[in-house]
Amino acid sequence: RVGIRVVAPFGDHNTPDKWAWYAGKVRSWTGGVASVDFDDGTRWQIRYPSAHQDKLDIRKNQLTRSFVNGLEPIELPLIVIPIDMEFPPSGLPKHQYDFVRRSDIKIKKISVEAFHILDSMCGPQHVQSIVEAVNRWSLEKNMSPIENTPGVPELHLLGDKLSSNHHGDEHIELQINVLQELSKMVLKSLMFTDLSLPSGFSSLADAIRKVRALIFTYPKQIMLAETLGKTVYMLASGSKYVGDSVDLDVIAASNVTLKRQTDHKARRTIFGQLYQQLKHRSIERVFKIGENHRAFKANYIGMNAIDAGGPYRDAIETMCRELESPALPLFVKTPNGRMDAGRNRDSFVPRTSSKSLLHKALYEFLGRFFGLAIRTKFLLPLNFPSVVWKPLVGDVVTENDIKAIDQTALTSIEPIQALLHQQGVSENDFNSQFARIKFSYCQCDGKVVPLIEDGARCPVTKANSKRYIEALRNARLYEFEFHTKAMRRGLGQVVALSTLSLFTWRELEMLVCGQGVTKSRIPSLKRMTSYSGCSPDDEHVRFFWEMFENVFDDNQRAKFISFTWGRSRLPHSEKDYEQKFKITSHNASESSDDPDSFFPLAHTCFFQIDLPRYSSVQAMTRRVIWAMESCGTIDDDSHTMSTAPSIIPDTEEETGESYWNEAF
């Protein structure tokens, strides 16, 4: 029964002669395992009855030290005693027990058998939901989930994924204990292998990569931080950039988009200009820098803007917008996005046909920026699906990943496979049914290419159908191998791939891109906000938070952060903030009888907004939306973008194919 008193022996492996009986109360009996709250305040899972217990006669002194020391806690004999019985119970071999502190006992909590118990209790999805809940708890508390065990009620408060399962809290506690031991085991074994090795080169590396999704994120991040710290380029004291500067012609860059051109030579866009000026500079000096440091000083030609952080962040944001547009020949919207169906409609994949030496160098250059984002915490607002991130951590792209970007990618295979398994279908009937299908396929960039030589004129027949299935599947699975290899090479020049390979693709995406400004991030932003000339209790400040939380959607919140800070993604955690968000009084409107006629003023270098004392949420919303949507880049009233000279001559304008005419 629950609540009954029990005793169990525990051996001290450091001192073989020393072992002890411990008394406690049963919390639950489930599946052959008792969860016991011991009198010393700890809780253990103990199997009952032991497979060995039937062979033991305690009164005949057969419970020996060697027997006890050879057992794990999950296997220890559990002896039930009446609640009013003395402890130690009569009949136990008194000369063989000695009371010791639990801290002195060095034995494992969870045995390998517990893994089998875990597998039998729940499926992979439930285990993964526990990992995700613990990761959220760890991020919120900034505590290691290995050294600190979260309470199950705390995890329930973080989301509803756990509440939908049919397992009790005791099961979840056991699962967390097993996952803690798994994380410890994997982290200790990393010194014996290199996770950057390809699949098949190391059985240990392959095994670790298979379970990396079950390893808690917090210890991975600690290990990554330690690795980055050993390879950081040391800056002068107090410096936020390395002293190098780049001259950026924002007029030429904006003209690429205005004139619907594609920067095939990578010279006119901001990304192209950065590539041309940084490609030969020291990778260590530019990219291997510390947290919240800047890789370069952005000099906006003709803008009269002094880079105290705003122009730098604006350049990174502009670069990312160019990458996800036809202004550059590198990425294209997913087929699902062009068809407006299925998943990942807002995501982008590499342009399959972009495979020149220049394209290779550009993808590699982008990979360096991935590493820079990880090191500096300046996140990149990019929207890439799993087919891009998985190869970067050495993971395998699957058919599900392909269907997630193109739900029609493998539809031609299914009827062929169905007919192959159907009895009584003649070869002529099979060939006539699939005569229109040729050995060619449509890539994600819309171009039709052959799967074999002269494949466009080779129909699928019963004889070659298996070859077609294999060729099409491989073509789709490895469609972006050229591009992701280049990005991985660039990433590895900045961050050790052996360390990153312990992360899942979603964790890498979070390290590089973070997440959008969702409603759940607002409490953290409020805590990281300071006020000057006003206070949180002022009416117009309350109007602001009402607008930001309940009027704006996620996209508008991201635009506002970009308007005030030059970046559209908030840091992962509060400790990663370079500076606090600052709301200040709007001096020009203070003495006005009509504050609703004024626009807010943003200072992107300082993450600051001068906020007029608007009379209502509606009046504030109209002015703020107009300001952030109309002033999306750095400029200067005395020398605006429309009159500033371009340093790139018109002869440099692109004459190649424009990708703006595609369905984008």
Side-chain angles (χ1 to χ4, degrees):
R1 300 192 308 275
V2 172
I4 198 168
R5 295 281 293 175
V6 295
V7 293
F10 289 85
D12 182 0
H13 285 188
N14 288 337
T15 310
D17 293 336
K18 205 173 197 181
W19 60 290
W21 289 99
Y22 278 85
K25 183 181 293 186
V26 173
R27 176 184 174 88
S28 66
W29 305 84
T30 309
V33 174
S35 178
V36 181
D37 289 332
F38 284 97
D39 294 344
D40 64 352
T42 59
R43 178 182 301 162
W44 287 47
Q45 311 289 334
I46 298 180
R47 175 168 293 283
Y48 71 90
S50 170
H52 308 280
Q53 187 172 342
D54 295 337
K55 302 176 183 178
L56 296 175
D57 188 339
I58 296 175
R59 296 182 183 273
K60 292 182 179 180
N61 196 20
Q62 293 179 357
L63 192 62
T64 63
R65 297 185 186 90
S66 60
F67 173 74
V68 172
N69 289 342
L71 294 177
E72 297 285 356
I74 198 74
E75 301 170 324
L76 288 174
L78 188 64
I79 303 167
V80 179
I81 59 176
I83 197 167
D84 58 348
M85 192 178 205
E86 63 173 336
F87 181 77
S90 59
L92 291 179
K94 295 183 180 181
H95 65 281
Q96 289 190 354
Y97 69 78
D98 181 23
F99 291 99
V100 294
R101 294 173 309 185
R102 282 293 281 270
S103 58
D104 294 334
I105 300 178
K106 307 296 183 183
I107 55 179
K108 296 179 181 178
K109 265 190 177 182
I110 303 297
S111 71
V112 175
E113 187 177 356
F115 287 92
H116 302 296
I117 297 173
L118 176 62
D119 287 340
S120 66
M121 285 197 301
C122 58
Q125 289 184 345
H126 179 62
V127 176
Q128 194 61 53
S129 71
I130 293 177
V131 175
E132 293 171 0
V134 173
N135 283 336
R136 289 196 300 272
W137 173 87
S138 177
L139 178 63
E140 183 178 289
K141 302 292 185 180
N142 192 27
M143 296 171 62
S144 170
I146 295 180
E147 300 173 357
N148 306 275
T149 302
V152 176
E154 291 183 274
L155 300 183
H156 286 310
L157 294 175
L158 291 175
D160 57 1
K161 288 188 177 182
L162 296 182
S163 61
S164 62
N165 75 84
H166 300 291
H167 308 288
D169 288 358
E170 296 82 5
H171 287 169
I172 297 175
E173 289 174 0
L174 176 59
Q175 291 161 5
I176 293 175
N177 289 337
V178 172
L179 292 168
Q180 287 173 322
E181 294 301 321
L182 176 63
S183 291
K184 292 177 185 178
M185 292 165 55
V186 169
L187 294 173
K188 288 179 180 179
S189 65
L190 293 179
M191 66 179 71
F192 303 111
T193 189
D194 181 358
L195 294 184
S196 64
L197 292 173
S199 177
F201 277 69
S202 167
S203 58
L204 178 58
D206 292 344
I208 292 175
R209 283 192 289 258
K210 285 182 180 179
V211 299
R212 57 183 151 191
L214 301 179
I215 309 303
F216 295 129
T217 302
Y218 187 93
K220 298 181 192 177
Q221 293 178 336
I222 296 298
M223 183 179 64
L224 176 62
E226 292 174 351
T227 303
L228 297 180
K230 295 175 182 178
T231 57
V232 68
Y233 180 82
M234 300 305 296
L235 300 175
S237 178
S239 176
K240 283 295 183 182
Y241 58 91
V242 298
D244 293 340
S245 63
V246 295
D247 295 328
L248 298 176
D249 188 343
V250 295
I251 303 303
S254 61
N255 282 339
V256 173
T257 299
L258 291 174
K259 297 181 180 181
R260 299 176 67 81
Q261 298 172 340
T262 301
D263 186 17
H264 290 283
K265 299 178 182 179
R267 293 181 179 177
R268 298 178 60 80
T269 54
I270 294 296
F271 179 78
Q273 294 178 56
L274 288 173
Y275 168 73
Q276 298 295 342
Q277 296 183 58
L278 297 177
K279 62 181 178 180
H280 295 309
R281 297 191 190 182
S282 167
I283 293 177
E284 287 74 17
R285 182 175 173 84
V286 176
F287 293 99
K288 289 188 174 183
I289 57 178
E291 185 174 328
N292 288 324
H293 289 168
R294 300 196 293 276
F296 53 84
K297 184 177 182 179
N299 178 24
Y300 275 14
I301 302 299
M303 294 295 105
N304 288 337
I306 299 175
D307 187 7
Y312 173 80
R313 289 188 290 267
D314 182 73
I316 300 297
E317 288 281 318
T318 303
M319 176 192 81
C320 292
R321 287 196 298 270
E322 292 171 342
L323 286 166
E324 296 184 341
S325 79
L328 285 164
L330 300 180
F331 291 90
V332 64
K333 185 169 281 191
T334 63
N336 283 349
R338 297 198 297 273
M339 294 184 296
D340 195 23
R343 292 176 286 168
N344 290 303
R345 302 185 198 185
D346 296 326
S347 298
F348 294 79
V349 292
R351 185 177 290 273
T352 315
S353 302
S354 295
K355 293 184 177 181
S356 70
L357 290 177
L358 175 60
H359 294 143
K360 183 178 180 180
L362 293 176
Y363 286 118
E364 183 176 318
F365 185 65
L366 175 59
R368 295 178 190 171
F369 270 96
F370 290 168
L372 180 68
I374 293 172
R375 283 184 172 272
T376 64
K377 306 295 180 68
F378 284 123
L379 305 175
L380 306 180
L382 295 170
N383 301 284
F384 296 154
S386 59
V387 291
V388 174
W389 298 114
K390 273 192 170 184
L392 301 187
V393 294
D395 203 353
V396 178
V397 175
T398 65
E399 290 187 16
N400 288 334
D401 298 314
I402 300 303
K403 294 176 181 178
I405 62 170
D406 184 0
Q407 62 181 14
T408 64
L410 302 173
T411 52
S412 62
I413 291 179
E414 296 169 0
I416 294 176
Q417 290 177 320
L419 207 59
L420 283 174
H421 291 91
Q422 187 174 331
Q423 300 293 331
V425 179
S426 67
E427 185 169 349
N428 288 335
D429 290 341
F430 186 99
N431 296 346
S432 62
Q433 183 163 343
F434 298 108
R436 294 183 179 181
I437 300 179
K438 311 297 181 183
F439 270 76
S440 61
Y441 82 106
C442 182
Q443 299 176 148
C444 282
D445 61 0
K447 294 186 177 181
V448 178
V449 296
L451 292 169
I452 59 175
E453 186 177 354
D454 202 25
R457 290 188 285 184
C458 178
V460 174
T461 64
K462 191 172 185 178
N464 64 22
S465 58
K466 292 184 178 179
R467 183 186 179 189
Y468 169 78
I469 292 173
E470 182 180 3
L472 178 59
R473 181 180 285 118
N474 287 337
R476 299 315 303 257
L477 290 176
Y478 299 102
E479 183 171 352
F480 308 115
E481 185 178 31
F482 173 91
H483 318 82
T484 54
K485 274 188 174 181
M487 285 185 275
R488 178 176 165 86
R489 185 165 47 252
L491 174 60
Q493 294 167 355
V494 182
V495 179
L497 293 177
S498 57
T499 302
L500 286 180
S501 295
L502 186 60
F503 289 80
T504 66
W505 71 267
R506 290 187 183 278
E507 290 171 331
L508 176 63
E509 180 188 23
M510 188 64 64
L511 287 173
V512 175
C513 303
Q515 56 185 340
V517 191
T518 60
K519 206 168 185 178
S520 62
R521 308 293 305 280
I522 296 177
S524 176
L525 179 61
K526 283 184 177 181
R527 290 191 295 269
M528 297 302 297
T529 300
S530 63
Y531 303 88
S532 177
C534 58
S535 75
D537 297 326
D538 288 353
E539 186 178 45
H540 71 297
V541 174
R542 287 189 280 106
F543 287 162
F544 169 80
W545 289 115
E546 172 68 20
M547 172 190 70
F548 195 77
E549 185 170 0
N550 298 321
V551 179
F552 283 180
D553 56 24
D554 291 350
N555 184 51
Q556 289 172 316
R557 294 188 194 102
K559 283 185 177 180
F560 178 84
I561 297 300
S562 179
F563 171 64
T564 55
W565 206 9
R567 56 185 283 182
S568 58
R569 303 286 174 97
L570 291 174
H572 298 299
S573 62
E574 294 174 16
K575 64 181 178 62
D576 294 333
Y577 275 74
E578 177 190 14
Q579 55 200 162
K580 283 190 171 185
F581 175 43
K582 190 174 185 179
I583 299 177
T584 68
S585 58
H586 190 281
N587 294 331
S589 66
E590 288 294 310
S591 58
S592 173
D593 295 332
D594 185 16
D596 292 348
S597 63
F598 290 84
F599 290 101
L601 181 62
H603 306 273
T604 56
C605 291
F606 309 108
F607 195 13
Q608 175 181 322
I609 185 171
D610 299 349
L611 190 65
R613 295 182 180 272
Y614 294 108
S615 62
S616 66
V617 174
Q618 293 75 19
M620 177 182 290
T621 302
R622 287 194 298 269
R623 290 299 186 180
V624 172
I625 288 179
W626 192 96
M628 67 185 191
E629 292 186 350
S630 302
C631 306
T633 189
I634 304 292
D635 60 15
D636 185 89
D637 290 339
S638 62
H639 208 133
T640 62
M641 290 183 62
S642 59
T643 60
S646 172
I647 62 172
I648 300 179
D650 290 342
T651 55
E652 284 288 327
E653 289 192 4
E654 295 295 335
T655 56
E657 178 187 3
S658 172
Y659 293 140
W660 287 89
N661 295 326
E662 298 176 345
F664 208 85

